[in-house]
Amino acid sequence: MNTAGRSEEWTGPRLAARLADLNGVAPEPAEHVVFRAARRAEGRETTCWQIANDTGVLNEAQLAEWLARRRLGGPERLALAVLVIRETLDERGLIRDCVLERRRGAVDGPLHGDPARVEFTGPARMVRVYRVLRDGRLSEVAASTDVLPPRRRAPEHFAGEQRALRERFGPAARIIDVRQPTLFEDIAGLDSIAHVRASDGRVVGCGIGWHGTIPFILEADFPRFGAPLSLAPEDEVAVEALLAEHDLVRHETRLDEQGLAVMARRRSGVDLFLLRSEHGTATMRPYLPASEAEPSPDQARWLRYAETYEKLAVLDTWHDDSTEDLLVLTGESSGQVWRHHIDHDGVETWRKPDDDAAAAVLHGERLFPGTLAAADAADFEQEQEPLNAEADDMFPPPADSVLAKAEAYVAALAALHDAGALAAAADPSAGVPLSALQILSDVPAALSMLTADATAGEVRALTTMAEDGRIGPARFSQVLSRIETRLMHDLAAVRVVLLTPGQWRLLGDSPLGRAVEEEFPELAYDLEEAAQCLALRRPTASVFHAMRVVERGLKVVEQLASIDLLGDDRRWTRIMTRLRASGRPELAGVASALADVRRCARGPRLVPEEKYTEAEAERLFQAVGGFVRELAAAQGAGESEPR
């Protein structure tokens, strides 16, 4: 047996010293292993190791042999990525507390990963996240979308998760449901949440994560978020009739202390209504978000925390069924909306995206004026026209969309393959079939959409040779096969920037609305640049343009109030003090909005910092938008005053 590396066994502290010598930059992982230590309710502790492509678990001796075979015994151990799972289980074998650590080389090796350590209780509650500094110390960071680890979902992941569940619970186990993780579950390192009915009949909640190519399973009381709420058939008919009668747009169905209800909104309007139906009779009444559910003192404390520290806007609240738990909708400055479940003690038990709620749509309209009417108009046109293949063909996807690129790639690849197949089956003495050349005639246009210019040139050259009779069918087919490979190489060299609908809206002509553009045309350039940089994930550049908007806006304020705000040092304290001391009541909203900009800008002066994250740039952009809108309102009020 090969024992190379055993004589040079490196301990965790020695590996940590080696990583420090490398200035904290570890080599790319060559192998992945998972170490799990579970403490049972009766006090017994079990440990095991898991490696890739192995259905069982290893003990220490077996792991040492495995490492020796891979020559990972000395400093090469830094290329071994170790996920350390330490879990405390209750009487049912479910997680009470859990710690996940990403280390290198050994269980006590140096922490290395982002995040390096995650602590949580139960089904990913009370999550605490830590990053490792260059000197090896841990630093706690806020649990938000900024700390989400990079994920790559592929078909083999789904198959691997199902295989891992059956290996853990036996072939007779039945997977009841699988869902996407909530925010906290995602931060904890979980890719899927499944519920399995074991052979003994019990239903177990499982969080499934990946360490390299190794799936690991955490068992806890994960919520199911079952099938969407639905009305009884006769109530559904009554609600649909009421929606049509009053021209309402339907949104979410919710369950509150009075039963099932449907949220609806006046088309192209912001008025909300709550629709209920019982025994086929529907009623409708106006609804004011967050006006009917009385939070407990602890829940109210959570709401204040979310608004103050997470910078979330509370959009709506209601009680979860007849319980004292509270469901809360909050919105980020980017337009993202979350649904939170807050128990009576003010503890957030789960969080998941909810962009289809009525309050979410109104939140998007406040951030991006004009999107509500456009969305309703599109929905109305879609309702009026039948959904058929001809209608789909009438509205092709935009040329710069991912769908158009995908369709062009499929069309080009299919044409190359079909033309090659026709040539391969043709009579060698008859030349390249005309049908094969006709199929290739549309390929250059598709390749142009894909910016595969080199491949398009080869197709045109090959077509010319075939038309001149300078190439036979067999050779023609072989060259097309090579061109297929060339196309894949061409596309692999192209990098694509993907924009979500929220980011794409930022690239419009008026990112902050027509009113702002008409009131301050001189701000148009910097507003557009700030929005485009934000959409294209250049946050620091976005902040620089946004701060130029603030500077020009302050010059407008100076003219309105006849005061000097900017001066030489441009300190925020000086600017805010002079603005508030101006005594102009129409500038109260401007001062409040400018205070939001100051908090987002971070620095003591009206000068951008050296670096901003995307989340920070988004918050600043929205704050600047609020400042400019308040400034437009103040200027309009000033112009309407008699002189």
Side-chain angles (χ1 to χ4, degrees), residues 98-360:
C98 187
V99 176
L100 301 181
E101 293 180 337
R102 293 173 175 85
R103 294 182 177 269
R104 285 301 181 94
V107 174
D108 60 345
L111 289 159
H112 190 277
D114 192 11
R117 179 185 174 98
V118 179
E119 303 173 357
F120 55 90
T121 62
R125 298 176 182 172
M126 308 293 288
V127 180
R128 302 182 67 179
V129 184
Y130 300 84
R131 283 178 174 156
V132 63
L133 305 178
R134 285 191 176 271
D135 59 5
R137 293 182 295 113
L138 285 175
S139 173
E140 185 171 3
V141 295
S144 68
T145 53
D146 294 338
V147 301
L148 290 178
R151 300 288 166 80
R152 184 187 67 85
R153 299 291 286 168
E156 58 265 23
H157 282 79
F158 299 103
E161 290 170 1
Q162 296 179 17
R163 185 169 58 252
L165 289 170
R166 291 193 171 92
E167 288 170 357
R168 187 173 183 93
F169 296 100
R174 177 169 168 260
I175 301 174
I176 301 175
D177 57 43
V178 180
R179 64 169 173 83
Q180 293 293 315
T182 63
L183 174 63
F184 290 155
E185 293 163 352
D186 202 354
I187 292 173
L190 302 178
D191 292 81
S192 297
I193 306 299
H195 286 82
V196 178
R197 188 179 301 280
S199 55
D200 58 4
R202 64 191 179 99
V203 175
V204 183
C206 301
I208 310 169
W210 286 84
H211 178 58
T213 58
I214 306 174
F216 62 89
I217 297 174
L218 303 178
E219 298 178 25
D221 279 325
F222 292 103
R224 289 187 61 174
F225 304 140
L229 299 172
S230 58
L231 304 175
E234 64 274 15
D235 294 332
E236 181 68 30
V237 171
V239 166
E240 285 293 337
L242 203 58
L243 291 168
E245 178 184 352
H246 295 276
D247 192 25
L248 301 178
V249 178
R250 181 171 185 166
H251 288 282
E252 76 272 21
T253 301
R254 62 173 56 172
L255 179 62
D256 57 22
E257 60 267 33
Q258 298 180 37
L260 287 174
V262 173
M263 290 297 303
R265 174 179 51 81
R266 191 84 70 187
R267 189 178 299 277
S268 298
V270 297
D271 297 328
L272 298 183
F273 300 90
L274 203 64
L275 281 63
R276 299 186 188 275
S277 181
E278 187 174 359
H279 306 305
T281 302
T283 59
M284 179 181 79
R285 66 176 179 83
Y287 178 77
L288 184 63
S291 64
E292 302 180 6
E294 184 67 28
S296 70
D298 290 328
Q299 290 169 340
R301 189 178 300 111
W302 182 91
L303 293 173
R304 289 194 298 271
Y305 175 87
E307 291 180 315
T308 304
Y309 295 101
E310 292 197 57
K311 304 300 182 183
L312 296 174
V314 175
L315 308 178
D316 199 2
T317 61
W318 69 95
H319 284 299
D320 184 15
D321 199 359
S322 57
T323 70
E324 295 180 335
D325 295 348
L326 198 67
L327 290 172
V328 183
L329 288 178
T330 66
E332 295 180 356
S333 59
S334 64
Q336 173 68 63
V337 172
W338 299 96
R339 179 181 291 203
H340 313 255
H341 184 272
I342 314 300
D343 67 16
H344 183 69
D345 297 324
V347 176
E348 183 175 12
T349 60
W350 52 260
R351 176 186 303 194
K352 64 176 181 176
D354 191 351
D355 292 322
D356 296 326

Side-chain angles (χ1 to χ4, degrees), residues 347-376:
V347 176
E348 183 175 12
T349 60
W350 52 260
R351 176 186 303 194
K352 64 176 181 176
D354 191 351
D355 292 322
D356 296 326
V361 176
L362 300 186
H363 179 62
E365 173 67 15
R366 286 192 290 269
L367 295 177
F368 309 105
T371 59
L372 184 65
D376 284 353

Side-chain angles (χ1 to χ4, degrees), residues 45-61:
E45 184 170 345
T46 59
T47 62
C48 65
W49 291 86
Q50 185 180 355
I51 62 175
N53 303 321
D54 195 308
T55 58
V57 295
L58 307 181
N59 56 32
E60 291 285 349

